[in-house]
Amino acid sequence: MAEGNLAKTTNRENRESNNAHSESIKVKQKHSQASKGQESISLKTPKGTRDYGPAEAVLRQRLLDRVIRVFRRHGAVTLDTPVFELRNVLTGKYGDDSKLIYELKDQGGEPLALRYDLTVPFARYIAMNNVRQIKRYHIAKVYRRDNPQVMRGRYREFYQCDFDIAGTYDPMLPDAECIKVVAEILTELDVGDFTVKLNHRRLLDGVFEVCGVPKDKFRTVCSSIDKLDKMSWDAVRREMIDEKGLDERTVEEIGCYVSESGGIDLVDRLSSDVQLTVNEGAMQALTDIRLLLQYCAIFKVSERISFDLRLARGLDYYTGVIFEAVLKETAEEVGSVAGGGRYDDLAGMFNPKRTKVPCVGVSIGIERLFSIQDNRTMVGKYTRTNETEVFVASAHRGIHLRRLEILNQLWSAGIKAEHSYKQNPKLLAQLQHCEERQIPLAIIVGEGELARGMVKVREIGSRKEEDIGLDTLIEEIRKKLTALNVTE
């Protein structure tokens, strides 16, 4: 996207990107008496960002928890990196997208930039710490000065969920596991039918070479091919001719290849292609893809795979297998929801000795997945936003101190509990609070029960009540929570 286009965002897109769920509000703020003026403050989130209310935050956290479980199932450890990096760490790694990096004002002689993704910081971490093998996951916010498309879950500030395997291993074993991770996550999140598109950077380079593309234009042509999921072939063709300087014959030959998709049958056809057979890189790439498809069959995900020569992944650091997961026939039109590939040279860029650490990884587009769940769920109406297990209620006036004692016992026992902040609240209001917040149990503290060393415990869902002795209260509460299946 050209810089000028970023300044031409339509008014409608601006309104969407400022906040997906609220309108811009104008308020007046009085200046000091000396200024005797008024300043208009626009209460809105910055372009390409949004607020998450309690119900939305809960839903997103549930998605993240399920993603993390898959990462941990595959033996990954977690790490974290700063939200900003030295500017020269990030620049030159993202191809045409480098112009979307948020650069920061020079602070103390260190030119900085907000991280664009989690992959380059990971490669920098590997090089700094001399790591040779690691399987990691990282969930954090990244920043891109992109053109927001809120309805498609595309923001300027958003979470990425990355899973990466670094180290020297036998071919395609880590790559196959990354694809398996993507398939598991999308299946468990129940986002609908999806396809994992697969290609290889060395195969694309081989195609470019036999078609006559100069080597110094391989990456920029990749960026053009990568737009085929958003633009027609005619538009991409015109870009390669008019903007990238390729001749029409070369572009037409490229078009013949990138129109191909399939499975092992396509691998067989390309392996016997007269032009490609003399290209060593392309032949090695086809060998890799053949082996990868074999492993994917063993992992029971081959029915999800589409070997697609249109897939290019515009980022410069990819060196081998690349893949991208897309949803099929979704009304939300979010498109790609995961993507990744092999980047064997990236860590070496940060090492003075240029020592390579082969890496492959995938990034899950959690914001786009959240936008699907958000649209499908009546967020706020049925979503429970708290984890309170027990509410301690007063049945009569003047017993709030005993209520606090019982509340403290619950907290000390590790039970999630709350109460009213009024000394003498009405019982009906307290029970309505429990129903509205979907709190499963209420302990009702009354004078008569206390005189007998008892309290009344009410199941909010069924409204069943039972008197329980104070000396066994914690044990009985735990039993009830277990029976109601609300304990961790």
Side-chain angles (χ1 to χ4, degrees), residues 5 45 78 83 120 135 182 209 357 437:
N5 290 338
T45 60
T78 190
V83 72
V120 172
K135 183 190 293 185
V182 172
E209 186 173 345
V357 180
R437 298 296 186 90

Side-chain angles (χ1 to χ4, degrees), residues 204-381:
L204 280 174
D205 289 350
V207 167
F208 297 155
E209 186 173 345
V210 302
C211 291
V213 177
K215 282 192 175 183
D216 61 352
K217 293 188 176 182
F218 280 7
R219 294 288 73 83
T220 187
V221 173
C222 254
S223 295
S224 295
I225 299 299
D226 191 48
K227 298 175 183 177
L228 282 172
D229 63 334
K230 311 177 192 72
M231 297 166 52
S232 67
W233 165 248
D234 286 341
V236 172
R237 174 183 177 276
R238 183 52 51 194
E239 177 181 295
M240 288 193 288
I241 294 172
D242 295 344
E243 298 180 26
K244 305 299 174 70
L246 299 184
D247 62 56
E248 293 191 16
R249 183 193 62 81
T250 294
V251 173
E252 293 302 332
E253 286 194 34
I254 292 173
C256 292
Y257 283 104
V258 299
S259 63
E260 295 278 4
S261 64
I264 193 65
D265 57 327
L266 179 57
V267 177
D268 293 336
R269 290 205 312 273
L270 294 174
S271 297
S272 59
D273 183 279
V274 175
Q275 290 191 104
L276 288 179
T277 52
V278 298
N279 188 283
E280 182 179 351
M283 288 298 99
Q284 181 57 55
L286 290 169
T287 299
D288 287 345
I289 293 173
R290 188 184 299 275
L291 182 59
L292 180 58
L293 291 176
Q294 179 183 354
Y295 291 152
C296 287
I298 295 173
F299 286 158
K300 306 297 184 184
V301 294
S302 58
E303 71 280 0
R304 298 287 190 182
I305 304 296
S306 173
F307 175 27
D308 193 334
L309 268 70
R310 291 173 297 179
L311 179 65
R313 304 289 296 169
L315 303 180
D316 279 2
Y317 51 65
Y318 288 121
T319 59
V321 166
I322 50 177
F323 42 86
E324 185 172 276
V326 296
L327 301 187
K328 297 163 64 176
E329 299 178 359
T330 56
E332 292 83 4
E333 295 184 352
V334 295
S336 172
V337 292
R342 179 160 288 278
Y343 51 101
D344 290 344
D345 298 336
L346 189 55
M349 293 182 182
F350 303 114
N351 191 302
K353 298 181 180 179
R354 297 296 184 190
T355 303
K356 289 186 178 183
V357 180
C359 300
V360 63
V362 62
S363 180
I364 308 297
I366 198 66
E367 300 288 3
R368 296 188 175 186
L369 295 174
F370 174 78
S371 72
I372 296 173
Q373 298 286 6
D374 196 3
N375 291 338
R376 293 177 180 175
T377 305
M378 297 182 69
V379 176
K381 187 172 183 180

Side-chain angles (χ1 to χ4, degrees), residues 16 48 82 87 121 135 179 212 264 290-291 294 361 369 376 388 405 407 431 452 469 486:
E16 287 181 346
R87 191 182 302 162
K135 183 190 293 185
I179 293 176
I264 193 65
R290 188 184 299 275
L291 182 59
Q294 179 183 354
L369 295 174
R376 293 177 180 175
T388 305
E405 290 176 358
L407 182 69
L431 295 178
R452 296 184 287 112
V486 294

